[in-house]
Amino acid sequence: MRKRFGMGASIVVLALFVALSITTFGCGTKVQKPKDFYKIGAVLSTSGPAAPLGQPEQRSLALLEEKINSEGGIDGVKVKFIIEDDESDPAKATVAINKLIKQENVVAVIGSSTTGATLAMVPVTSKEMVTLICCAAGTKITDPVNEWVFRTPPTDSMAIAKVISYLEDVLEVSKIAILHDANAFGTGGADELQAKAPDHDIEVVAREQYGSTDTDMTAQLTKIQQTPAQAVVVWGTNPGPASIAKNMQQLGMTIPYIGSHGIANKKFIELGGSAADGVAFPAGKLLFPSSIATGSDWRNAVDEFSAAYKEKYEMDIDTFAAHGWDAGLIITDALKRSGNDPIKLRDEIEKTKDFVAVDGIYTYSPTDHDGLNVDDLLMIKIANGAWTEVK
Amino acid sequence: MARRKGIVETHSYRTFLIVAAFIFILPIWARPIPGEALHMDIVNLMVLTGIYACAVLGLNLLLGYAGQISLGHAAFFGIGAYTTAILCTRFTWFPTWLGVILGASLAGAIGWLVGKPVLRLKGNYLAMATLGLGEIAFILFSQLKGLTGGTVGMLNIPPLSIFGLKFDTDIKFYYLVWAIVLVIMLLTINLVLSRVGRGLRALHSSEVAADAMGVNTGSYRVKVFVWSAVLAGLGGALFAHFQLYINPESFTFALSILFVTMVVVGGMGDIWGGLVGVVALTFLPSIIQVFPEWIPGIPESLTNFSNYALVLYGLLLIIFMIFLPKGLSYGMERGVAAGRRSAKLLLDRIRAHD
Amino acid sequence: MIYGSATVFTLLLVVTLSIKGSTGLQWIVSGLTVGSIYALVAMGFSVIYSSTRVINFAQGEFSMLGGMLMYTFASKAGVPVPLAFILSVIIVTLLGAGFERLAVHPLRYSSVITVIIVTIGFSIFLRAVAKWIWGSDPVKIASFSGDKPIRFLGAALVPQSFWVFGFTALAVLLVFLFFNRTIVGKGMTAAAANPDAASLVGISTSTSSLIAWTIAAALGAAAGIIIAPIKFAAYSVGTMLGLKGFAAAILGGLGSAPGAVVGGLILGVLETIAAGVFPSGYKDAVAFLILILVLLAWPQGLLGRRQDVMA
């Protein structure tokens, strides 16, 4: 008897559920409480596989917060960056951004570090009408342009353009092999290269992949050896490309090795040792300040940031630190003009023009949410364990 | 068949009603208030909890009642998600609710196809085979670029809509997902209390005995496996329509392990165990994040490194299991029983005073 | 069974060699190096499993810790390599034994799956702590005897590979002798199969479990150190090592040390050949598919004992 009663009552409750889900609910308007400080959210991959990206970004934001507030804030109002960790997981990123927007009521969001986590947050920003400035390089994020999404790093296609002109003008090769990490970064770069190469009469004769955690890439390299490839382009982040450099040395392969901006760090030289010599890769000019005219605003911005970062963290800046810093700078600059209004803020960010930051000089427009251009990059070649600029 | 019949089990329907009522009022009680001290978007987290619960409830049946371990359920979760995502982005006219149903069905069909041969294996060998299936599925999600968008994933998945009603806000999705979870709960309770459930439990404790009782062990095993695959696929399909974006990273080995962990932490083979486990482990990371703010005077050096959350998570997992090896729900059950006993004692005493 | 699988495997090698020549040889030697790495981790799984029936999901983390500690002692502090090796192994071994006493031992009357979840928690914990201490960048540990590749018949190998081969051979021999020739070792195998009978010989399941965890931690740490110059050490390598090591252990037959080696070598060679023959993005899928097929054909693994395998 009791069982039947239970069933009946349960069904009634369920019916109520359905009824409630049909009536529109929630979705209330955002309350604009007066604030004693501007709250800017950030979702960064400070743990998980993408932690080497997220951690410097986090450090930059902490540094920027300190700097702005010690200089009196934005028109007297202090700034607070609320940083959430997405553990390099897209699902966690959406949880984090929802929390930042609905619970913390942030005026804009920075992040995330990886393309996957960023793409996962894009639907939320559009729905909640809050600007997102990402630190990830995947082409898909801003192509096509999403009203609410901007980025600071140079895109994959800028880096690929740099690599192609190096292949074409410096190496003068017409047949290349691609060996890329099977993850989003590697695949994105490889796709872009494969699509653009034919326009420059470069033929991709082999395309191979490896897993981020693989130990040995000799099998893929022997396959490339059997093709007429005159150079191999490796798209991935440490430690894979270092393993590949060592494997090439082991196999006695001597064709030029061109890497991605993912190896634009001293770690690659440390891991690859002598095998790293001769490797060329694209990088932001900020990593090689002497390539920027002395006395220019940009050079000063890089030197200033680099010195402040080193003083606080006893570390050299890297490209990710710059992405985070620039994202913070762009938002705080636009906040001066917009005040604590997310929608006005978006419009002001889009109006950012010739804004000198660390990664380069940003100009956004309704059709361009990337800001930078190819000239903000350069090609670096490793010689005797040190970087040299490729002119 | 000497198995405890816990309080929770005998009072299944009553517990069900209490849980349902709680879920019903939760969003009203916990609506996001900007700037409030509780640093969590509870409704949003509860939606994710409900989505994972679909998969975990099925896995609980498989693990707790049929005694079969699977380390590859992320594959079925992913198949559900990708099926509906592909259909609904390719054909914009495609009804999303049908996508969800097809996603769950395809997950079930593939579960049946691989389950038939693989379920001949037992224990760790079954674990290995399912792990392999999970890895293969992950590689296919990443490599079949034309179909799945490769590692970049699938963008612009439309929100779920059923006969013109769009589930495009967290709160609407909340009621939808939890209605589904509660239906699954009801089905599970009925199943477990039925003859089939007794057969399943027999299967877990002794296969020989089950055979002797006339339980067709092989077919039971496959049926439960397929059902758990369907539920995982359903969860995955809902996930796709909630996130509106998916990529292979969401369906890794780590997710399969998380599902199993949820089952065991919650209480394997307990009707409510799966649910308790999902809620506990989905909320745990967020609770750990705000934890330091509750304890005044905790040194900043301990909490400002982002990884402290994972250190604590790992430690808590170990501690939970050492002190509650049968799962949280068993612990709660004992807690409730103890509470009842002391309440009764108190009442008796009060009465004695009268 | 063993002859059948050996024949199939030999056939695979012969076919690869005859079709691909020196390239094929390169795949095989590279595969054997990677395979030895898997084998070493697999042995750790086997040791714990054969005495306690527990799958230790933190096994890969022991190797990770070994490599990272080696980096601290040898590369950072400048301790001589042999001393750094011993120090690192001792620390990880103590950690393994300590974990067994604190977390596994109290659960001796609980179900095996509970203990497995505890090891998952332990692996999350160790990974997080390692990242806290050493950061997330991979680090380099110098090869024991230089980096000059050794060439033969058109294939090339780095010298460290021979260290890996040698250590794998030594480890499997020691583990095999311990479990089959010493009273303690035999008693431990017995303890897993029949606790009451084993206690008659004076080996309790409790002691047995402690010894197994100690051996597995030491083995894992040593393996992690030997392979670090090839693989680079990083807080995150344990996950992948654990996954592949587990696969190798099952393939060879859980609980058998020679089986772990056979399983590891086959998995490693399969992976490289698959990467060479198929589009390389599918190499792991091919390897896992073959693994599942092998399991269906020989469900107790290649060298395992026939028990509790088929439903």
Side-chain angles (χ1 to χ4, degrees):
Chain A
M1 272 318 277
R2 179 208 224 128
K3 207 165 159 186
R4 198 167 297 157
F5 160 76
M7 265 309 260
S10 316
I11 288 163
V12 171
V13 171
L14 277 180
L16 262 172
F17 260 93
V18 178
L20 243 162
S21 61
I22 288 169
T23 51
T24 323
F25 206 103
C27 203
T29 50
K30 245 174 246 122
V31 196
Q32 289 291 337
K33 279 196 202 165
K35 286 269 145 33
D36 42 359
F37 45 73
Y38 288 114
K39 274 188 179 178
I40 301 167
V43 180
L44 301 171
S45 308
T46 52
S47 66
L53 288 62
Q55 286 172 336
E57 289 157 3
Q58 181 190 27
R59 284 194 281 264
S60 287
L61 290 180
L63 180 65
L64 184 64
E65 180 180 298
E66 213 170 80
K67 178 174 179 276
I68 293 175
N69 291 344
S70 70
E71 289 165 3
I74 301 170
D75 299 327
V77 183
K78 290 212 177 346
V79 172
K80 192 175 172 195
F81 289 105
I82 302 168
I83 299 167
E84 291 283 319
D85 177 16
D86 64 25
E87 297 167 36
S88 315
D89 176 349
K92 298 243 167 69
T94 55
V95 171
I97 192 172
N98 270 300
K99 175 185 149 183
L100 286 173
I101 295 173
K102 294 179 199 158
Q103 214 70 51
E104 303 285 357
N105 209 22
V106 295
V107 69
V109 181
I110 294 167
S112 177
S113 314
T114 65
T115 304
T118 306
L119 285 172
M121 295 195 294
V122 167
V124 183
T125 58
S126 318
K127 194 163 81 184
E128 303 292 335
M129 303 209 284
V130 171
T131 309
L132 180 74
I133 299 194
C134 80
C135 301
T139 315
K140 277 253 170 78
I141 297 171
T142 53
D143 180 24
V145 169
N146 177 313
E147 206 187 342
W148 296 97
V149 183
F150 299 82
R151 93 162 93 219
T152 52
T155 63
D156 287 344
S157 44
M158 292 175 201
I160 290 291
K162 214 68 201 170
V163 165
I164 287 180
S165 67
Y166 178 76
L167 291 168
E168 205 177 13
D169 306 331
V170 180
L171 297 178
E172 296 177 348
V173 294
S174 59
K175 289 185 171 58
I176 59 161
I178 306 174
L179 178 54
H180 67 91
D181 195 320
N183 67 11
F185 176 74
T187 315
D191 286 350
E192 184 77 20
L193 180 55
Q194 203 164 21
K196 296 281 166 63
D199 301 343
H200 301 265
D201 289 324
I202 294 171
E203 190 192 344
V204 178
V205 292
R207 178 175 167 166
E208 297 294 336
Q209 313 183 27
Y210 64 90
S212 310
T213 54
D214 283 359
T215 309
D216 183 286
M217 289 76 162
T218 48
Q220 291 92 323
L221 288 169
T222 51
K223 272 163 107 178
I224 291 172
Q225 266 182 322
Q226 287 159 1
T227 66
Q230 297 159 300
V232 53
V233 179
V234 176
W235 219 255
T237 48
N238 289 328
S243 296
I244 291 167
K246 288 177 101 182
N247 284 159
M248 282 175 73
Q249 196 181 42
Q250 175 190 341
L251 294 174
M253 285 174 80
T254 51
I255 58 172
Y257 175 132
I258 298 99
S260 69
H261 46 306
I263 59 168
N265 44 57
K266 302 281 154 96
K267 200 81 210 173
F268 176 72
I269 297 178
E270 184 200 317
L271 295 178
S274 64
D277 272 346
V279 172
F281 54 86
K285 283 188 178 166
L286 77 137
L287 293 177
F288 209 86
S290 61
S291 65
I292 309 169
T294 324
S296 66
D297 288 348
W298 185 9
R299 177 69 182 271
N300 292 342
V302 173
D303 288 347
E304 241 172 69
F305 172 54
S306 170
Y309 194 88
K310 188 146 198 169
E311 191 189 275
K312 186 166 160 84
Y313 300 111
E314 288 162 3
M315 273 187 244
D316 286 325
I317 56 164
D318 58 24
T319 160
F320 308 111
H323 305 336
W325 178 264
D326 287 2
L329 269 189
I330 291 167
I331 290 179
T332 46
D333 176 70
L335 270 177
K336 286 178 200 158
R337 307 188 294 268
S338 71
N340 204 27
D341 177 347
I343 292 166
K344 235 182 174 171
L345 177 64
R346 190 215 78 90
D347 298 341
E348 289 304 329
I349 290 173
E350 199 167 67
K351 285 180 199 152
T352 301
K353 193 168 183 297
D354 297 328
F355 182 72
V356 180
V358 173
D359 256 325
I361 297 154
Y362 292 88
T363 301
Y364 292 121
S365 74
T367 52
D368 177 12
H369 280 196
D370 289 334
L372 298 177
N373 66 58
V374 183
D375 297 330
D376 298 324
L377 299 175
L378 84 165
M379 283 299 285
I380 291 176
K381 193 170 178 178
I382 300 171
N384 298 322
W387 287 356
T388 54
E389 186 183 355
V390 178
K391 300 277 178 192
Chain B
M1 284 293 289
R3 193 178 175 282
R4 89 198 144 83
K5 223 170 175 231
I7 299 164
V8 170
E9 212 153 291
T10 39
H11 295 276
S12 289
Y13 291 110
R14 195 198 295 173
T15 317
F16 177 87
L17 284 177
I18 296 170
V19 170
F22 176 74
I23 289 168
F24 183 72
I25 56 166
L26 180 70
I28 302 164
W29 168 60
R31 291 184 70 180
I33 301 161
E36 192 206 342
L38 196 69
H39 296 269
M40 267 181 261
D41 184 351
I42 288 184
V43 172
N44 184 273
L45 263 179
M46 276 300 280
V47 174
L48 202 61
T49 308
I51 287 171
Y52 285 158
C54 294
V56 171
L57 288 177
L59 201 60
N60 189 16
L61 272 182
L62 185 71
L63 201 65
Y65 287 90
Q68 311 291 304
I69 193 163
S70 165
L71 296 181
H73 260 51
F76 299 117
F77 195 76
I79 290 167
Y82 271 104
T83 306
T84 184
I86 290 167
L87 288 171
C88 298
T89 49
R90 280 294 156 84
F91 316 107
T92 43
W93 48 264
F94 201 87
T96 45
W97 58 270
L98 189 58
V100 172
I101 292 172
L102 287 178
S105 315
L106 188 65
I110 291 176
W112 182 77
L113 266 181
V114 298
K116 275 226 119 169
V118 163
L119 285 167
R120 286 166 45 228
L121 300 168
K122 253 177 73 177
N124 296 314
Y125 301 91
L126 179 62
M128 179 61 235
T130 47
L131 184 156
L133 292 173
E135 290 297 300
I136 292 172
F138 173 74
I139 290 164
L140 291 180
F141 294 150
S142 331
Q143 297 292 333
L144 297 175
K145 225 185 293 174
L147 204 59
T148 63
T151 46
V152 173
M154 310 207 60
L155 296 91
N156 303 321
I157 302 170
L160 191 60
S161 73
I162 300 174
F163 303 117
L165 180 74
K166 262 194 173 182
F167 293 88
D168 53 359
T169 63
D170 285 5
I171 198 83
K172 287 188 200 168
F173 215 95
Y174 171 91
Y175 280 108
L176 176 78
V177 164
W178 280 97
I180 293 173
V181 172
L182 288 174
V183 169
I184 297 172
M185 262 329 295
L186 267 187
L187 290 175
T188 310
I189 294 172
N190 275 323
L191 183 79
V192 169
L193 297 181
S194 72
R195 189 175 171 278
V196 183
R198 288 195 298 274
L200 279 176
R201 262 168 288 168
L203 190 65
H204 193 183
S205 38
S206 161
E207 227 156 86
V208 187
D211 261 331
M213 269 173 59
V215 177
N216 184 349
T217 52
S219 101
Y220 262 140
R221 229 194 296 277
V222 175
K223 274 181 196 153
V224 177
F225 189 77
V226 170
W227 176 233
S228 72
V230 168
L231 291 184
L234 176 66
L238 292 172
F239 178 80
H241 286 294
F242 178 60
Q243 294 264 325
L244 310 182
Y245 164 79
I246 52 170
N247 77 7
E249 290 299 315
S250 299
F251 314 107
T252 54
F253 178 57
L255 184 69
S256 296
I257 291 285
L258 180 67
F259 286 158
V260 176
T261 309
M262 283 169 168
V263 170
V264 180
V265 166
M268 200 169 50
D270 185 296
I271 297 177
W272 297 99
L275 210 54
V276 173
V278 187
V279 174
L281 288 190
T282 315
F283 276 82
L284 191 58
S286 299
I287 294 173
I288 290 174
Q289 292 274 348
V290 293
F291 209 51
E293 296 170 29
W294 295 349
I295 309 166
I298 195 166
E300 207 187 317
S301 58
L302 268 179
T303 56
N304 70 350
F305 79 104
S306 62
N307 237 37
Y308 110 98
L310 278 174
V311 174
L312 210 57
Y313 182 85
L315 267 184
L316 284 175
L317 204 55
I318 298 173
I319 293 169
F320 274 164
M321 293 283 66
I322 292 179
F323 290 101
L324 294 170
K326 286 186 175 160
L328 291 174
S329 73
Y330 181 71
M332 281 162 71
E333 208 173 287
R334 275 200 308 191
V336 168
R340 243 182 231 200
R341 265 198 311 276
S342 45
K344 195 160 173 273
L345 225 68
L346 202 70
L347 271 178
D348 286 351
R349 237 178 243 175
I350 292 168
R351 268 192 212 124
H353 270 281
D354 286 345
Chain C
M1 220 67 68
I2 164 157
Y3 299 112
S5 59
T7 319
V8 173
F9 189 56
T10 320
L11 212 67
L12 180 71
L13 296 191
V14 170
V15 170
T16 314
L17 281 177
S18 51
I19 296 178
K20 286 289 180 178
S22 65
T23 310
L25 184 65
Q26 180 65 52
W27 294 348
I28 291 168
V29 295
S30 294
L32 288 176
T33 307
V34 178
S36 300
I37 294 176
Y38 297 163
L40 282 169
V41 183
M43 249 186 282
F45 275 104
S46 275
V47 168
I48 291 183
Y49 179 81
S50 65
S51 351
T52 63
R53 296 291 177 265
V54 167
I55 306 279
N56 171 25
F57 272 91
Q59 188 61 37
E61 312 309 333
F62 289 151
S63 299
M64 177 274 288
L65 279 180
M68 299 310 291
L69 285 167
M70 184 70 180
Y71 166 75
T72 303
F73 291 131
S75 310
K76 275 271 177 90
V79 177
V81 171
L83 186 62
F85 183 98
I86 293 169
L87 271 176
S88 311
V89 172
I90 289 178
I91 293 178
V92 177
T93 308
L94 288 177
L95 199 71
F99 174 71
E100 197 281 335
R101 278 297 101 166
L102 285 176
V104 178
H105 184 69
L107 286 171
R108 60 195 176 283
Y109 303 121
S110 301
S111 69
V112 165
I113 181 111
T114 308
V115 184
I116 292 179
I117 300 296
V118 168
T119 67
I120 291 175
F122 192 43
S123 76
I124 295 173
F125 172 74
L126 287 181
R127 220 168 20 246
V129 171
K131 207 184 134 214
W132 185 15
I133 300 175
W134 289 287
S136 47
D137 275 330
V139 295
K140 185 183 169 146
I141 290 159
S143 305
F144 295 0
S145 36
D147 284 317
K148 202 173 179 316
I150 295 157
R151 286 171 214 288
F152 59 96
L153 301 172
L157 264 185
V158 288
Q160 191 69 24
S161 293
F162 292 96
W163 279 97
V164 175
F165 294 149
F167 184 74
T168 310
L170 180 71
V172 68
L173 188 71
L174 288 179
V175 170
F176 185 80
L177 287 180
F178 177 75
F179 278 97
N180 291 280
R181 293 284 181 275
T182 67
I183 294 175
V184 178
K186 282 189 199 168
M188 283 168 66
T189 323
N194 187 342
D196 296 331
S199 60
L200 293 178
V201 211
I203 302 284
S204 70
T205 43
S206 163
T207 334
S208 170
S209 166
L210 180 62
I211 297 174
W213 275 84
T214 310
I215 296 176
L219 201 61
I225 297 170
I226 299 273
I227 65 182
I230 295 182
K231 214 189 135 37
F232 300 124
Y235 85 98
S236 56
V237 298
T239 314
M240 173 273 203
L241 285 176
L243 189 72
K244 294 288 171 67
F246 176 53
I250 299 267
L251 182 61
L254 253 180
S256 147
V261 174
V262 173
L265 293 181
I266 292 183
L267 186 62
V269 172
L270 265 181
E271 258 183 36
T272 21
I273 294 183
V277 176
F278 297 97
S280 37
Y282 288 99
K283 70 177 168 55
D284 282 354
V286 173
F288 274 113
L289 188 66
I290 293 175
L291 211 136
I292 292 173
L293 294 178
V294 169
L295 278 183
L296 291 176
W298 294 288
Q300 73 285 12
L302 298 176
L303 296 186
R305 295 177 197 110
R306 181 175 269 286
Q307 55 180 20
D308 297 338
V309 176
M310 290 293 272

